[in-house]
Amino acid sequence: MFTGIVEELGTVRAFDGARLVVRCALVATDSPIGASVAVNGTCLTVVERTDESLAFDVSGETLDRTSLGSIRAGASVNLERPVSLAARLGGHLVQGHVDGVGEVAAIDLEPDGGATFAVRIPGELEPLVVHKGSIAIDGVSLTVAAIEGPEVRIALIPHTLAATTLGAALVGDPVNIEVDMVGRYVARLMERSGT
């Protein structure tokens, strides 16, 4: 379980489509082999570790359901270690189970250094997103500012742009989307009850 508060921007050292190696100083310090780490919002298992890097095996299923297949050596990735039971929950509960891949549809820069993003989400996720609700985009916990058809608008402060990969995002970039788990459970209960 994660919070969507990115701890470190890692740098992809190598990715051959099956093994992803990420250079990271902070997250590598206490992520032993077998540990879970959210990489751009995707929960992956550490299979190799050095003092300054982590390696993950990435399955075909993960490549099919996330945007990880589009990253290359030199790219930055959002990293977060799992939350401990004693930690403050600064974002929202994020599982690292990506629901779909969206696309950055528009970026409007604000005079204060922040930005408003429009992200086009897959149609099946639209009913699970609510105004002022939580959404994780590339593993970053964000609040939905507006919903305009298939597009979700989010406001980003300068700190979020500087501390995550969203600061380097471009229109057309694919992004991992995880809707708030409460929405998934409510939708499932309603489906089972026939409402």
Side-chain angles (χ1 to χ4, degrees), residues 13-28:
R13 274 192 159 156
F15 187 40
D16 64 6
R19 169 96 20 125
L20 171 65
V21 181
V22 178
R23 186 174 64 239
C24 51
L26 175 67
V27 173

Side-chain angles (χ1 to χ4, degrees), residues 45-101:
T45 301
V46 176
V47 296
E48 284 183 24
R49 178 187 172 274
T50 71
D51 289 341
E52 59 184 42
S53 69
L54 297 173
F56 310 90
D57 287 337
V58 182
S59 70
E61 172 77 5
T62 299
L63 292 174
D64 288 345
R65 295 189 178 272
T66 71
S67 66
L68 292 181
S70 66
I71 61 174
R72 302 288 176 254
S76 293
V77 289
N78 296 321
L79 299 174
E80 181 188 356
R81 293 169 289 188
V83 67
S84 70
L85 291 177
R88 289 185 173 96
L89 184 61
H92 73 282
L93 293 175
V94 177
Q95 294 180 303
H97 303 163
V98 174
D99 292 306
V101 177

